[in-house]
């Protein structure tokens, strides 16, 4: 990968680095993206599965879909893109990671400083007492009752039409405001708030590097657009930062 001397210096001398990831970073692990040609929303309608109304109307159907996704994701492993970001965290004290992904693969690859702004598919939450539990698909197939109050539990993920967790979002905005280098990796920009984070970062002087197989809704903010697979590009790029 050809990087100019000027950029190499900028990468080496940058202090605060932020990565914002989407489903594309897990694509090479075999986790389907949402809007790609083989994406999840091609086979399913988001409105029928990933909304509070859908869950209220047919919790069984929504759980069937999430249990299917949990079982699928449980068979997948992190790919070189995840490991490259975990390596970056090990080497740069002021590196943070914000992910839209709920698949837990960043944690599995060794990343620790992660903000999961769309939640985590392997955690569920009681709709009544708000207790959270680790999700075990085999148990959920038999019962979706809260052990504490017997009400219904739901996947602890953000659904369409729901608001972001305020505390998580505030942390994400602060990181976007203060980061000198921001990676945007494998996201289409179809969802507004994460794109806003990239805009805020850009407005505050960040150098934005986008890695995607196609241009996206973030590309207008990218100072450097690296077209290709995250699993191939990141392992070549990260050595310039460590
Ligand atoms: N490397 C890099 N980018 C890739 C790769 C890859 N190997 N494969 C696919 N991509 C890119 C696609 O070009 C696309 O821009 O990843 C992006 C995936 O886009 P989406 O499927 O829309 O996923 P994402 O942007 O994460 O969706 C955001 O929408 O459905 C909701 O809550 C859900 O978190 C999700 C949010």
């Amino acid at each position: 990968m050809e990087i100019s001397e000027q950029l190499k210096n900028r990468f080496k001398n940058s202090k605060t680095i932020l990565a914002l990831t989407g489903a594309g970073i897990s694509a090479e692990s075999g986790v389907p993206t949402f809007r790609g040609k083989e994406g999840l929303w091609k086979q399913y309608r988001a409105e029928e599965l990933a909304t509070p109304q859908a869950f209220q109307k047919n919790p069984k159907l929504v759980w069937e879909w999430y249990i299917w996704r949990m079982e699928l994701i449980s068979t997948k492993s992190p790919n070189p893109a995840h490991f490259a970001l975990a390596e970056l965290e090990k080497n740069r004290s002021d590196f943070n990671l914000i992910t839209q992904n709920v698949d837990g693969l960043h944690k599995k690859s060794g990343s620790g400083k992660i903000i999961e702004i769309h939640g985590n598919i392997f955690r569920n939450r009681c709709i009544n007492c708000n207790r959270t539990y680790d999700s075990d698909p085999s148990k959920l197939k038999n019962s979706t009752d809260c052990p504490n109050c017997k009400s219904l539990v739901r996947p602890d993920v953000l659904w369409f039409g729901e608001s972001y967790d305020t505390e998580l979002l505030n942390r994400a905005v602060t990181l976007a405001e203060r980061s000198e280098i921001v990676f945007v990796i494998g996201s289409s920009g179809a969802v507004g708030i994460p794109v806003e984070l990239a805009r805020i970062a850009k407005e505050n002087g960040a150098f934005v590097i986008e890695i995607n197989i196609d241009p996206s809704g973030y590309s207008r903010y990218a100072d450097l657009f690296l077209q290709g697979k995250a699993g191939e590009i990141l392992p070549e790029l990260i050595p310039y930062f460590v």
Side-chain angles (χ1 to χ4, degrees):
M1 173 181 293
E2 273 312 299
I3 300 276
S4 70
E5 282 313 309
Q6 189 198 8
L7 271 186
K8 281 181 195 167
N9 293 331
R10 182 161 194 169
F11 294 168
K12 269 272 181 267
N13 301 327
S14 53
K15 290 182 193 52
T16 50
I17 305 175
L18 175 65
L20 172 62
T21 65
I25 199 167
S26 296
E28 290 155 88
S29 296
V31 179
T33 62
F34 291 95
R35 298 172 180 83
K37 39 191 177 313
E38 75 302 331
L40 287 173
W41 298 141
K42 292 277 172 295
Q43 308 164 56
Y44 302 94
R45 289 177 49 71
E47 301 69 34
E48 285 159 16
L49 291 160
T51 66
Q53 296 74 14
F55 189 70
Q56 200 168 19
K57 197 171 102 209
N58 190 342
K60 193 170 173 313
L61 173 70
V62 174
W63 265 121
E64 274 169 14
W65 188 58
Y66 275 90
I67 287 170
W68 170 77
R69 282 179 66 197
M70 272 192 262
E71 288 175 336
L72 173 77
I73 293 168
S74 314
T75 65
K76 308 300 180 192
S77 311
N79 69 64
H82 295 105
F83 290 117
L85 292 185
E87 182 63 19
L88 183 54
E89 179 181 317
K90 267 199 220 95
N91 287 274
R92 298 296 291 261
S93 57
D94 201 344
F95 170 75
N96 285 281
L97 169 59
I98 298 170
T99 188
Q100 301 170 78
N101 300 341
V102 297
D103 60 28
L105 289 181
H106 281 300
K107 188 155 179 262
K108 231 173 168 178
S109 68
S111 287
K113 294 162 73 177
I114 311 169
I115 299 180
E116 294 178 318
I117 51 169
H118 290 171
N120 187 309
I121 198 169
F122 294 105
R123 191 179 54 239
N124 61 47
R125 184 178 82 233
C126 175
I127 60 170
N128 172 51
C129 70
N130 266 329
R131 290 220 182 167
T132 57
Y133 303 92
D134 288 342
S135 295
D136 174 344
S138 54
K139 287 211 186 83
L140 285 163
K141 275 180 183 164
N142 301 324
S143 158
T144 53
D145 292 347
C146 169
N148 174 52
C149 73
K150 301 294 166 241
S151 302
L152 193 51
V153 296
R154 54 164 281 182
D156 194 16
V157 297
L158 187 70
W159 279 332
F160 290 101
E162 293 187 313
S163 337
Y164 281 73
D165 174 287
T166 318
E167 193 263 331
L168 286 188
L169 192 54
N170 289 340
R171 282 173 55 202
V173 169
T174 306
L175 287 170
E177 284 169 341
R178 56 183 282 272
S179 293
E180 291 170 79
I181 305 268
V182 174
F183 291 96
V184 179
I185 306 162
S187 185
S188 62
V191 167
I193 293 288
V195 178
E196 270 304 284
L197 293 174
R199 184 187 61 74
I200 291 167
K202 182 78 183 156
E203 247 174 33
N204 284 273
F207 185 88
V208 179
I209 304 169
E210 182 177 18
I211 297 169
N212 200 314
I213 54 175
D214 290 324
S216 74
Y218 296 89
S219 302
R220 75 190 104 162
Y221 301 122
D223 296 286
L224 177 63
F225 178 73
L226 299 172
Q227 185 152 15
K229 292 183 173 182
E232 293 167 8
I233 291 175
L234 270 173
E236 279 192 58
L237 185 62
I238 294 309
Y240 290 109
F241 287 82
V242 299

